[in-house]
C-alpha cells in the first residue's frame, strides 16, 4: 500500500513539474511558409528543440509533425502550394540561376507572401492569442520578407533563421559588414582565395545581386499594406527590425569573416542523430556490402530519373565500372529510370540519410551539394563527389573541393570516364576521407552544441530584446563603407595640395621676379656708366 501511495505521489509531482515547466516557458510563433522541405528541416529542429526545453511553440508550415511531441503545436498550411518534394525535374532546375531573379523572387517570395491570406495565417494576424500572448516570432530569412511585419504587428522581438550562409541581401539590413575581398558570394562560384580579377567579379556581382534583389522584394510592400494595414515601413526597413539572425554556417567551412553579435552561427542545427535503426532489409543489404557502398542522393526536390538519358547512361556505365562496390540511390520513382539498371544498384524513394551515411560500409556520397546534405556527410566523415545544380550548391562543393573533401563535376557534361575517375579517386585516395574527418572534428568542436547555442540566444533576445542591434543599421551603405570619410580626406588632400602649389608658384614667381628685377636694375646701372 505504501508503495502504491508513493507511486501516486510521484506521478502527481511529475505532472506538476511538467506543467510548471510548460507554464514557465515562453510562447513562440514560428512561421515558415516556404514549401521547401530542405529549408524546413533546420527550422523544424529549432522549434522541436525549443519545445523540448519547455517553451510552447506554434509552428506554421507545410510539414506538420508525423509524431506529435509535447509543447509543439502545428498550424498546418499543407496543400496550399504545389508540392516540390521529389518533384523538380531536370528541365525545371536548369532555369534557376542569378539571371532569373524576378522568377526566383516570384516563386520563393511573392507566391509565399500570398499565403498571408491563408485562413491559418490570417487568423494569427487578426486574432493572436492573448492568454498567454506571444513572446517572440521566428521567421525564415530567404525571399519572402513581407513576413518581417509580424514582429512589429505582434509587438514582440523577431529572430530570423537563414538555412544557408549569409546571402548578400541580408548583411546590410542586420548591420553585418560584408567584405568582398575574402567572402565569395554564393552565386559567384568563386573560391575563398581570390586573385585581383576574381575580387573584381565578386564585388560587382555581390552588389548587383543585392540591389536587384532589393528592387524586386520591395514590391512585397503591397502584401504588407493589404494584410497589416497602412503605415508600415517599406520592406527594407522591416528587415532591419530583426533582433537576431541564426545562420547555418561555421567558420571551418564558410571561412573567417566579420560578424556582429546579432549574427550567430548554428551550422549543423538540423542534424538529429536519433539512433533510429534502418529497416531490416536495408540494414542487411548494407551489412553485406563488404566491398563498400556509394550513396547517391540529390536532395528532397530534384528527380534524378528526369536527367537526360545520356547522363543516366554515364551513371549506369560508372556503376558497372566500380563493381563489386555497391550503389544505393534515392530515386523518387524508380519506374521512370531507363531499363537495364546494373545489378549492384539498389533504389529507394526515400532514405534516412544520417543512418545511411553513418553505416561503416558507406564509403562515398554522390550529392548535389545542398548544405544540409553536405553537413551531414561531414558529420559522418564521408567524402563526396559533388554535382551541384543551382544556388549555394555550387559554392558549397567548391569549398569542399578546395579542402580536398570532395571532387566537383558539372551536371551539364558528365561522361562515363569523368564520373568513374572521380569516384575511384575519392575511394582510393585516403586523403579525402582523412580531410573530411579532420574538418568534422573542427566543425563540431564548440563550446556548446548548435542546439544549445540556438536556445540560449533565443531566450536571450526574449529577455533583452534589441540590445544586439548594430549602429550600422542607422547609416547609409556609403557611410558604413566610410566612403564619405575617405571622400572628405581626399578633398582635404586635394585642397592642401592645391594651396601648396599656389604658394610654391607664388614663391617661385616672387623669387625669380625679384632676381629678374635686380638683374635689370644692374644692367641699367652699368649702361648709364
Amino acid at each position: 500500500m505504501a508503495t502504491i501511495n508513493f507511486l501516486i505521489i510521484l506521478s502527481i509531482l511529475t505532472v506538476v513539474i511538467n506543467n510548471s515547466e510548460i507554464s514557465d516557458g515562453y510562447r513562440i510563433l514560428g512561421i515558415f511558409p516556404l514549401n521547401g522541405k530542405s529549408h524546413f528541416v533546420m527550422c523544424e529542429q529549432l522549434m522541436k528543440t525549443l519545445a523540448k526545453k519547455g517553451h510552447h511553440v506554434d509552428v506554421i508550415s507545410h510539414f506538420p509533425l508525423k509524431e506529435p511531441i509535447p509543447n509543439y503545436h502545428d498550424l498546418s498550411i499543407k496543400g496550399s502550394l504545389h508540392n516540390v518534394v521529389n518533384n523538380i525535374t531536370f528541365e525545371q532546375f536548369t532555369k534557376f540561376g542569378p539571371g532569373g531573379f524576378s522568377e526566383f523572387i516570384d516563386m520563393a517570395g511573392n507566391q509565399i507572401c500570398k499565403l498571408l491570406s491563408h485562413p491559418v495565417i490570417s487568423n494569427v494576424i487578426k486574432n493572436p492569442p492573448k492568454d498567454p500572448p506571444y513572446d517572440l516570432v521566428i521567421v525564415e530569412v530567404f525571399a519572402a520578407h513581407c513576413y518581417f511585419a509580424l514582429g512589429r504587428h505582434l509587438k514582440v522581438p523577431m529572430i530570423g533563421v537563414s538555412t544557408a550562409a549569409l546571402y548578400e541581401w541580408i548583411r546590410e539590413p542586420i548591420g553585418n559588414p560584408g567584405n568582398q575581398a575574402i567572402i565569395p558570394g554564393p552565386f559567384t562560384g568563386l573560391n575563398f582565395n581570390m586573385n585581383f580579377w576574381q575580387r573584381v567579379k565578386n564585388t560587382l556581382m555581390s552588389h548587383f545581386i543585392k540591389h536587384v534583389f532589393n528592387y524586386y522584394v520591395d514590391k512585397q510592400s503591397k502584401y504588407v499594406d493589404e494584410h497589416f494595414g497602412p503605415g508600415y515601413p517599406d520592406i527594407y526597413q522591416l528587415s532591419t527590425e530583426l533582433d537576431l539572425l541564426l545562420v547555418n554556417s561555421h567558420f571551418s567551412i564558410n571561412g573567417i569573416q566579420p560578424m556582429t553579435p546579432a549574427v550567430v552561427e548554428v551550422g549543423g542545427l538540423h542534424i538529429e542523430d536519433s539512433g533510429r535503426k534502418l529497416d531490416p532489409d536495408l540494414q542487411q543489404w548494407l551489412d553485406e556490402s563488404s566491398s563498400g557502398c556509394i550513396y547517391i542522393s540529390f536532395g528532397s526536390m530534384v528527380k534524378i530519373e528526369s536527367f537526360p538519358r545520356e547522363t543516366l547512361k554515364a551513371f549506369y556505365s560508372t556503376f558497372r565500372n566500380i563493381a563489386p562496390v555497391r550503389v544505393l540511390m534515392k530515386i523518387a520513382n524508380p519506374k521512370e529510370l531507363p531499363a537495364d539498371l546494373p545489378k549492384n544498384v539498389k533504389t529507394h524513394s526515400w532514405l534516412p540519410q544520417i543512418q545511411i551515411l553513418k553505416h561503416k560500409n558507406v564509403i562515398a556520397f554522390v550529392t548535389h551539394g545542398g548544405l544540409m546534405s553536405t553537413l551531414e556527410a561531414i558529420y559522418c566523415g564521408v567524402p563526396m563527389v559533388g554535382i551541384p545544380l543551382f544556388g549555394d550548391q555550387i559554392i558549397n562543393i567548391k569549398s569542399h573541393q578546395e579542402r580536398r573533401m570532395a571532387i566537383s563535376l558539372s551536371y551539364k557534361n558528365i561522361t562515363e570516364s569523368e564520373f568513374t575517375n572521380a569516384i575511384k579517386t575519392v575511394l582510393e585516395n585516403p586523403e579525402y576521407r582523412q580531410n573530411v574527418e579532420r574538418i568534422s572534428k573542427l566543425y563540431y568542436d564548440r563550446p556548446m552544441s548548435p542546439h544549445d547555442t540556438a536556445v540560449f540566444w533565443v531566450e536571450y533576445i526574449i529577455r533583452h530584446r534589441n540590445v544586439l542591434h548594430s549602429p550600422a543599421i542607422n547609416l547609409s551603405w556609403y557611410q558604413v563603407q566610410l566612403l564619405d570619410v575617405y571622400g572628405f580626406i581626399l578633398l582635404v588632400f586635394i585642397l592642401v595640395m592645391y594651396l601648396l602649389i599656389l604658394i610654391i608658384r607664388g614663391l617661385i614667381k616672387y623669387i625669380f621676379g625679384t632676381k629678374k628685377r635686380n638683374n635689370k636694375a644692374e644692367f641699367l646701372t652699368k649702361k648709364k656708366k
Side-chain angles (χ1 to χ4, degrees):
M1 185 68 181
T3 303
I4 295 174
N5 290 337
F6 173 76
L7 291 174
I8 292 173
I9 293 171
L10 183 62
S11 299
I12 294 172
L13 285 174
T14 301
V15 171
V16 170
I17 290 170
N18 286 338
N19 287 338
S20 174
E21 181 182 36
I22 293 171
S23 63
D24 288 344
Y26 297 114
R27 186 165 193 178
I28 301 171
L29 173 65
I31 182 159
F32 313 109
L34 185 70
N35 54 330
K37 179 67 174 176
S38 59
H39 283 247
F40 182 66
V41 291
M42 177 181 174
C43 305
E44 179 187 52
Q45 193 58 235
L46 171 62
M47 303 310 288
K48 286 168 69 175
T49 302
L50 291 169
K52 290 174 183 176
K53 292 292 184 179
H55 303 300
H56 179 92
V57 301
D58 294 337
V59 182
I60 297 175
S61 79
H62 301 269
F63 309 99
L65 293 178
K66 293 180 181 178
E67 299 178 5
I69 64 172
N71 301 340
Y72 188 111
H73 179 215
D74 275 309
L75 299 175
S76 176
I77 54 175
K78 183 178 181 179
S80 57
L81 285 179
H82 178 64
N83 179 25
V84 295
V85 176
N86 283 337
N87 207 24
I88 300 295
T89 66
F90 179 89
E91 183 180 357
Q92 289 171 323
F93 79 70
T94 53
K95 296 178 181 178
F96 300 161
F101 254 91
S102 60
E103 292 83 0
F104 160 67
I105 293 173
D106 182 63
M107 178 185 69
N110 299 341
Q111 297 303 318
I112 307 302
C113 286
K114 289 179 181 178
L115 291 176
L116 284 166
S117 61
H118 190 284
V120 168
I121 301 178
S122 179
N123 184 58
V124 169
I125 294 172
K126 295 176 181 177
N127 303 296
K130 297 178 181 178
D131 188 24
Y134 288 122
D135 298 293
L136 177 75
V137 171
I138 300 178
V139 61
E140 183 182 357
V141 174
F142 192 48
H145 289 194
C146 55
Y147 288 89
F148 294 163
L150 274 164
R152 177 178 286 236
H153 176 73
L154 296 173
K155 298 180 177 60
V156 295
M158 180 170 54
I159 290 177
V161 178
S162 178
T163 58
L166 282 177
Y167 289 110
E168 291 94 337
W169 53 80
I170 198 59
R171 289 182 179 276
E172 197 172 294
I174 203 166
N176 196 78
N179 191 327
Q180 283 75 38
I182 59 174
I183 307 169
F187 295 102
T188 62
L190 296 170
N191 295 323
F192 286 97
N193 298 317
M194 294 178 281
N195 60 33
F196 172 76
W197 294 112
Q198 289 172 327
R199 293 198 304 274
V200 170
K201 176 185 176 182
N202 189 46
T203 300
L204 293 176
M205 283 195 68
S206 294
H207 285 291
F208 172 77
I209 289 170
K210 177 183 68 176
H211 290 298
V212 170
F213 180 89
N214 288 335
Y215 170 78
Y216 284 113
V217 153
D218 185 62
K219 298 178 182 180
Q220 294 176 6
S221 292
K222 66 180 182 181
Y223 299 107
V224 175
D225 293 340
E226 179 183 349
H227 295 284
F228 296 95
Y232 277 74
D234 60 28
I235 291 295
Y236 179 84
Q237 189 60 39
L238 285 173
S239 64
T240 67
E241 296 183 359
L242 285 170
D243 296 293
L244 184 78
L245 185 61
L246 300 173
V247 185
N248 195 18
S249 64
H250 189 261
F251 70 85
S252 62
I253 291 176
N254 302 99
I256 305 297
Q257 51 185 295
M259 287 189 177
T260 70
V263 178
V264 177
E265 292 189 305
V266 289
L269 174 65
H270 75 287
I271 295 175
E272 181 182 25
D273 192 355
S274 61
R276 189 176 98 187
K277 293 184 178 180
L278 295 170
D279 292 337
D281 61 329
L282 184 56
Q283 181 72 47
Q284 181 179 351
W285 189 83
L286 286 171
D287 290 344
E288 293 173 352
S289 301
S290 56
S291 297
C293 176
I294 308 296
Y295 173 53
I296 301 179
S297 172
F298 279 15
S300 62
M301 297 192 299
V302 173
K303 298 175 67 176
I304 297 177
E305 59 271 33
S306 70
F307 276 47
R309 285 298 180 259
E310 296 77 15
T311 302
L312 293 175
K313 184 178 178 181
F315 279 19
Y316 280 21
S317 298
T318 296
F319 300 156
R320 293 188 185 96
N321 293 340
I322 64 174
V325 173
R326 287 179 167 183
V327 177
L328 178 62
M329 293 181 71
K330 187 193 83 68
I331 298 292
N333 189 354
K335 293 179 180 180
E336 294 181 13
L337 284 172
D340 196 28
L341 186 71
K343 294 181 180 179
N344 61 329
V345 180
K346 187 178 183 67
T347 64
H348 273 268
S349 59
W350 197 265
L351 290 162
Q353 191 152 283
I354 288 288
Q355 281 68 36
I356 298 294
L357 290 170
K358 280 178 62 180
H359 195 282
K360 63 179 181 179
N361 289 336
V362 173
I363 51 180
F365 180 25
V366 178
T367 173
H368 64 313
L371 185 58
M372 307 303 178
S373 291
T374 56
L375 291 181
E376 289 169 6
I378 291 169
Y379 174 78
C380 298
V382 179
M384 294 163 274
V385 173
I387 307 176
L389 307 177
F390 55 83
D392 66 337
Q393 298 165 15
I394 298 169
I395 195 170
N396 292 340
I397 294 299
K398 279 258 188 182
S399 171
H400 302 330
Q401 181 172 251
E402 194 175 334
R403 292 170 172 82
R404 292 184 67 79
M405 300 188 295
I407 292 178
S408 179
L409 301 176
S410 171
Y411 72 84
K412 297 177 182 178
N413 51 6
I414 291 179
T415 64
E416 173 190 344
S417 60
E418 184 183 47
F419 195 23
T420 301
N421 289 337
I423 289 181
K424 286 188 174 181
T425 300
V426 167
L427 296 186
E428 296 171 4
N429 187 342
E431 183 182 4
Y432 286 89
R433 179 168 287 275
Q434 291 166 3
N435 286 337
V436 75
E437 289 174 347
R438 178 177 58 82
I439 294 296
S440 179
K441 291 177 182 177
L442 181 61
Y443 191 81
Y444 291 101
D445 188 2
R446 312 181 193 182
M448 293 193 294
S449 71
H451 301 79
D452 290 339
T453 301
V455 169
F456 171 82
W457 286 106
V458 165
E459 294 174 345
Y460 183 91
I461 290 299
I462 295 175
R463 291 194 300 267
H464 304 294
R465 298 182 73 91
N466 65 351
V467 295
L468 300 180
H469 273 197
S470 168
I473 294 172
N474 302 318
L475 300 175
S476 299
W477 66 270
Y478 63 86
Q479 293 174 314
V480 174
Q481 299 296 331
L482 292 176
L483 295 183
D484 54 341
V485 174
Y486 294 137
F488 173 75
I489 293 171
L490 179 61
L491 179 62
V492 170
F493 177 77
I494 291 172
L495 287 174
V496 169
M497 293 302 296
Y498 178 70
L499 290 173
L500 283 174
I501 290 170
L502 288 180
I503 291 169
I504 291 170
R505 286 178 64 184
L507 287 172
I508 291 172
K509 188 176 180 181
Y510 174 78
I511 292 169
F512 284 96
T514 303
K515 188 175 181 182
K516 190 176 181 180
R517 284 193 297 272
N518 291 338
N519 290 339
K520 188 176 181 181
E522 253 180 64
F523 175 75
L524 291 174
T525 302
K526 288 180 180 179
K527 193 174 181 181
K528 286 179 182 179
K529 290 180 179 180

